[in-house]
Amino acid sequence: MRIILQLIRKDFIQFFKDKVALSLTFIVPMVLIALFGSVFSGAGDFEKLALGFVNQSNSSVAKRIESTLDTTKTFKLIKTFKNEKDEIVNYDSITIKNAVIAGKFSTAIVLPEDAFTDTSGSLKIKYYYDPKNDMESNIIEGVLQQTIMQSIPEVFTQSLNKKSENVLGKDSSKKFNSEINKVVSKYFNVDTADIFGNINNTKSKSDTVKEGFNIFDNMLNMEKYQLVGKNVANSMATRNVGGWAMMFLLFSLSAAARSLFEEKQTGVMIRLLSSPVTRTQILWSKYLYNMAIGILQLTVLFLCGALLFKIDIFSNFHNLILLIIASSIACTAFGMFLASFTKTSAQANGLGTLLILTMSAVGGSWFPVSMMPEIIQFFSRFTITYWSIEGFIAVLWRGSGFIEILPYVGMLLGIGVLVNIISYFNFKRGNIFND
């Protein structure tokens, strides 16, 4: 037994000396648990969800809805935009729809002029959405309905009164409500002025369902309009293929960059340096080779998606190729960055795994960025995956043209150039070419 314990002690010592093993065992899982926890543990408690908003109604109810949504922490109402003259103007029913189609935000509501009038039996809302993320759309719609119902109960009280008047007549409805108030007041010692409202506040939705008539659904008349992606054959695969492809591309190119260390260990690097080949030529050859591999891999993955899941990649193919090239340039720069900052293949492997999984989670490969805390949403814009995924969604989901995808291409190329410059100076100081 003593020998076994000594052997176990030896394994522990080796394990704690191995920084790569330590990071993969503890740091990577902790980072991912923190990210998953920040997204899913706060279900039902989301903050600052972007929501386009137009109020065309002068009713007090509509103003109350606007005030409630404006002050709640769940939503960030977007009511204005800058026009071509750089002036800040309010959205209207047309420009708000164009903004959803352009991808500025995924959902918007319009309270029309007749949202709630003196003769209304329900609250009317027009709901425009782009389901590029089903999870995000469903959450926003659910939380929006819940917020309205919880925040303005008097709307439902008024609606109930109007419905009872329509069914029973004004006099009979008034008499019915009066009798109900008297009975409840007598046995529960409640102020009759508050009875009707309190009854509606405390009733559960299931209690109101009677003979197939769902009273709450009729009180909130939400007209829903899907503005983007209605004709996409396989919406789930089309939205997610970019995220999946980018994660695999990062793993492939980081592995290719580690080949520099393998060539150093096997003596290939020494033989190359002893020949009339400069260090810069070696780095350029590695960079261009890895970039070509990246372009080939992404192209094959998208073709595979088209073959297996009927993803339409050919109707906007030239813009897709442009994004593939820009993404490959940025990812190749990331692989060279790993090789320039680390001293061994094992270090590059550990650091690469940590950064790739973190970028995939933060950048939107696994779940929508909008569901994350604001601070993580801010940092997501510094990742390659974020700009690539948003670009692929623009091309495949919204069918965006060359001008519209330029911001994504520009950011990817900018990241690639910046990271390459940093890597170049690190290679000059590093030991990849030294003994």
Side-chain angles (χ1 to χ4, degrees):
M1 189 63 189
R2 181 183 175 187
I3 296 175
I4 292 176
L5 291 175
Q6 288 178 338
L7 290 173
I8 293 174
R9 179 174 174 274
K10 180 264 301 177
D11 289 335
F12 268 111
I13 291 173
Q14 289 180 335
F15 174 74
F16 284 109
K17 286 182 178 179
D18 189 341
K19 295 179 182 178
V20 174
L22 279 173
S23 66
L24 292 176
T25 305
F26 298 110
I27 297 177
V28 173
M30 284 192 293
V31 169
L32 296 180
I33 288 172
L35 288 172
F36 274 103
S38 65
V39 172
F40 294 109
S41 65
D45 192 25
F46 300 99
E47 296 184 4
K48 303 298 181 186
L49 296 172
L51 178 67
F53 186 85
V54 173
N55 183 10
Q56 298 174 323
S57 172
N58 293 320
S59 70
S60 59
V61 171
K63 292 177 182 175
R64 178 70 178 274
I65 291 173
E66 181 175 359
S67 175
T68 301
L69 293 175
D70 231 349
T71 54
T72 181
K73 66 178 183 180
T74 306
F75 294 106
K76 180 177 66 177
L77 296 192
I78 303 171
K79 305 175 187 177
T80 60
F81 68 103
K82 282 188 178 181
N83 62 14
E84 296 174 349
K85 299 179 181 177
D86 207 29
E87 300 170 334
I88 296 177
V89 296
N90 290 323
Y91 278 113
D92 56 31
S93 58
I94 303 298
T95 53
I96 200 82
K97 286 193 290 187
N98 292 335
V100 174
I101 293 171
K104 293 182 178 177
F105 36 82
S106 61
T107 54
I109 62 171
V110 174
L111 300 179
E113 292 182 3
D114 59 343
F116 196 82
T117 65
D118 293 339
T119 58
S120 294
S122 62
L123 175 64
K124 184 186 294 183
I125 294 176
K126 292 184 178 179
Y127 179 75
Y128 302 106
Y129 67 106
D130 167 13
K132 67 175 185 179
N133 289 307
D134 269 345
M135 189 186 300
E136 178 187 356
S137 298
N138 292 334
I139 288 173
I140 289 179
E141 183 182 344
V143 176
L144 179 63
Q145 292 188 20
Q146 183 185 32
T147 302
I148 293 174
M149 286 183 170
Q150 289 178 345
S151 303
I152 50 172
E154 67 269 24
V155 171
F156 305 116
T157 304
Q158 293 175 35
S159 181
L160 279 175
N161 278 323
K162 287 175 181 175
K163 283 187 177 295
S164 67
E165 288 177 6
N166 292 335
V167 175
L168 303 174
K170 189 172 183 179
D171 294 337
S172 297
S173 173
K174 187 176 180 181
K175 184 178 179 181
F176 172 76
N177 289 333
S178 176
E179 292 299 324
I180 289 289
N181 289 349
K182 290 177 182 176
V183 172
V184 176
S185 177
K186 177 180 179 180
Y187 291 102
F188 296 94
N189 192 26
V190 180
D191 186 352
T192 55
D194 298 331
I195 289 172
F196 201 67
N198 288 337
I199 288 172
N200 285 283
N201 285 339
T202 55
K203 264 189 170 183
S204 68
K205 188 174 180 177
S206 59
D207 293 336
T208 65
V209 178
K210 185 179 180 180
E211 295 179 355
F213 178 67
N214 189 324
I215 199 165
F216 275 86
D217 285 347
N218 285 278
M219 287 177 179
L220 183 59
N221 179 14
M222 182 178 284
E223 299 174 3
K224 295 190 286 188
Y225 302 91
Q226 179 178 345
L227 300 180
V228 185
K230 286 187 290 187
N231 299 321
V232 173
N234 191 331
S235 57
M236 178 67 78
T238 302
R239 289 188 300 252
N240 294 320
V241 65
W244 301 336
M246 283 304 299
M247 188 170 67
F248 289 115
L249 176 64
L250 283 168
F251 274 116
S252 298
L253 293 186
S254 65
R258 292 199 302 272
S259 64
L260 282 168
F261 294 106
E262 295 168 1
E263 289 183 359
K264 180 181 179 182
Q265 290 177 341
T266 57
V268 173
M269 187 65 71
I270 295 176
R271 290 198 293 273
L272 286 174
L273 291 174
S274 61
S275 64
V277 177
T278 65
R279 295 179 180 186
T280 302
Q281 288 172 327
I282 294 174
L283 289 176
W284 267 113
S285 67
K286 286 291 180 187
Y287 185 84
L288 294 175
Y289 164 76
N290 288 331
M291 194 176 73
I293 290 293
I295 293 171
L296 180 62
Q297 182 182 7
L298 280 180
T299 304
V300 169
L301 289 176
F302 280 110
L303 287 171
C304 184
L307 182 64
L308 296 178
F309 303 109
K310 299 180 180 178
I311 298 172
D312 180 14
I313 65 171
F314 297 108
S315 61
N316 202 6
F317 192 67
H318 56 290
N319 286 320
L320 177 63
I321 288 295
L322 189 60
L323 268 170
I324 286 176
I325 294 172
S327 299
S328 298
I329 289 173
C331 289
T332 304
F334 168 77
M336 301 302 283
F337 173 84
L338 280 179
S340 71
F341 257 92
T342 52
K343 296 180 180 179
T344 64
S345 179
Q347 284 184 3
N349 182 48
L351 182 61
T353 302
L354 173 63
L355 292 178
I356 291 169
L357 293 179
T358 303
M359 281 200 295
S360 298
V362 172
S365 292
W366 299 346
F367 29 73
V369 173
S370 57
M371 295 177 60
M372 302 177 196
E374 272 193 301
I375 184 67
I376 297 181
Q377 291 185 37
F378 172 78
F379 283 110
S380 70
R381 287 164 174 75
F382 293 94
T383 64
I384 298 169
T385 48
Y386 173 84
W387 294 104
S388 295
I389 291 170
E390 291 297 316
F392 288 133
I393 288 176
V395 169
L396 299 176
W397 179 251
R398 289 198 292 273
S400 300
F402 175 73
I403 299 297
E404 293 162 307
I405 68 169
L406 274 182
Y408 309 110
V409 174
M411 285 302 300
L412 290 168
L413 294 179
I415 292 173
V417 170
L418 178 63
V419 175
N420 274 327
I421 291 173
I422 297 172
S423 302
Y424 174 76
F425 286 105
N426 274 321
F427 272 123
K428 291 184 70 174
R429 293 197 302 264
N431 66 345
I432 193 75
F433 294 111
N434 300 324
D435 293 335

